Amino acid sequence: MDKYKSIDAQLVGGNRDPGFTASQIYYLTRQILKLTSHLESHSGDYSSQRGLRKLLSKRKRLLIYLFDENTALYTKIVKNLGIRGLRGR
Protein backbone atom coordinates (compact mmCIF):
# COMPACT_ATOMS: atom_id res chain seq x y z
CA MET A 1 0.00 0.00 0.00
CA ASP A 2 2.99 2.35 0.31
CA LYS A 3 3.19 2.44 -3.48
CA TYR A 4 -0.36 3.76 -3.69
CA LYS A 5 0.20 6.39 -1.00
CA SER A 6 3.10 7.80 -2.98
CA ILE A 7 1.05 7.73 -6.18
CA ASP A 8 -1.72 9.61 -4.39
CA ALA A 9 0.72 12.29 -3.30
CA GLN A 10 2.08 12.61 -6.85
CA LEU A 11 -1.26 12.66 -8.62
CA VAL A 12 -3.23 14.86 -6.33
CA GLY A 13 -0.34 17.10 -5.33
CA GLY A 14 -1.38 17.21 -1.70
CA ASN A 15 -5.02 17.95 -2.55
CA ARG A 16 -7.05 15.47 -0.48
CA ASP A 17 -10.37 16.61 -1.95
CA PRO A 18 -12.44 13.43 -2.49
CA GLY A 19 -14.38 15.19 -5.25
CA PHE A 20 -11.26 15.70 -7.36
CA THR A 21 -11.46 13.41 -10.39
CA ALA A 22 -7.91 12.10 -9.98
CA SER A 23 -8.60 11.20 -6.34
CA GLN A 24 -11.76 9.33 -7.28
CA ILE A 25 -9.90 7.34 -9.95
CA TYR A 26 -7.15 6.55 -7.45
CA TYR A 27 -9.55 5.31 -4.77
CA LEU A 28 -11.61 3.32 -7.27
CA THR A 29 -8.41 1.66 -8.50
CA ARG A 30 -7.54 0.66 -4.93
CA GLN A 31 -11.01 -0.83 -4.43
CA ILE A 32 -10.79 -2.65 -7.76
CA LEU A 33 -7.45 -4.19 -6.76
CA LYS A 34 -8.90 -5.34 -3.43
CA LEU A 35 -11.95 -6.91 -5.08
CA THR A 36 -9.80 -8.57 -7.73
CA SER A 37 -7.63 -10.22 -5.09
CA HIS A 38 -10.77 -11.30 -3.20
CA LEU A 39 -12.26 -12.85 -6.34
CA GLU A 40 -9.09 -14.83 -7.03
CA SER A 41 -9.80 -16.91 -3.94
CA HIS A 42 -13.63 -16.68 -4.03
CA SER A 43 -14.50 -17.17 -7.67
CA GLY A 44 -18.16 -17.98 -6.97
CA ASP A 45 -18.89 -14.70 -5.21
CA TYR A 46 -21.27 -13.24 -7.77
CA SER A 47 -22.20 -10.21 -5.69
CA SER A 48 -18.56 -9.15 -5.61
CA GLN A 49 -18.30 -9.75 -9.36
CA ARG A 50 -21.23 -7.40 -9.89
CA GLY A 51 -19.67 -4.82 -7.60
CA LEU A 52 -16.39 -5.08 -9.49
CA ARG A 53 -18.14 -4.48 -12.81
CA LYS A 54 -19.87 -1.42 -11.35
CA LEU A 55 -16.57 -0.02 -10.06
CA LEU A 56 -14.87 -0.64 -13.41
CA SER A 57 -17.62 1.17 -15.31
CA LYS A 58 -17.54 4.12 -12.90
CA ARG A 59 -13.76 4.41 -13.26
CA LYS A 60 -14.14 4.25 -17.04
CA ARG A 61 -16.66 7.10 -17.00
CA LEU A 62 -14.33 9.18 -14.84
CA LEU A 63 -11.41 8.46 -17.18
CA ILE A 64 -13.49 9.57 -20.17
CA TYR A 65 -14.41 12.78 -18.37
CA LEU A 66 -10.80 13.43 -17.37
CA PHE A 67 -9.57 12.74 -20.90
CA ASP A 68 -12.00 15.33 -22.26
CA GLU A 69 -11.15 17.93 -19.62
CA ASN A 70 -7.40 17.50 -18.94
CA THR A 71 -5.50 15.16 -21.26
CA ALA A 72 -2.13 15.74 -19.57
CA LEU A 73 -3.44 14.67 -16.17
CA TYR A 74 -5.21 11.71 -17.79
CA THR A 75 -1.97 10.40 -19.31
CA LYS A 76 -0.14 10.93 -16.01
CA ILE A 77 -2.75 8.98 -14.07
CA VAL A 78 -2.87 6.10 -16.53
CA LYS A 79 0.91 5.83 -16.53
CA ASN A 80 1.38 6.07 -12.75
CA LEU A 81 -1.44 3.72 -11.82
CA GLY A 82 -0.46 1.21 -14.49
CA ILE A 83 -3.97 0.88 -15.88
CA ARG A 84 -4.93 0.51 -19.50
CA GLY A 85 -5.92 3.64 -21.32
CA LEU A 86 -9.20 4.12 -23.10
CA ARG A 87 -9.56 2.49 -26.47
CA GLY A 88 -9.83 4.85 -29.39
CA ARG A 89 -8.83 7.91 -27.37
Side-chain angles (χ1 to χ4, degrees), residues 20-53:
F20 188 53
T21 308
S23 295
Q24 291 181 30
I25 293 170
Y26 163 74
Y27 290 118
L28 283 173
T29 302
R30 285 183 57 190
Q31 288 180 325
I32 288 168
L33 290 173
K34 286 181 187 178
L35 266 179
T36 303
S37 66
H38 167 76
L39 286 171
E40 287 174 355
S41 58
H42 301 92
S43 59
D45 190 353
Y46 298 111
S47 298
S48 292
Q49 289 178 8
R50 181 174 183 259
L52 178 63
R53 285 193 300 269

Side-chain angles (χ1 to χ4, degrees), residues 2 8 11 13 19 25 32 34-35 37 46 50 58 67 69-71 82 85 87:
D2 293 331
D8 186 34
L11 290 178
I25 293 170
I32 288 168
K34 286 181 187 178
L35 266 179
S37 66
Y46 298 111
R50 181 174 183 259
K58 184 170 185 165
F67 181 81
E69 295 296 319
N70 190 349
T71 309
R87 292 183 185 166

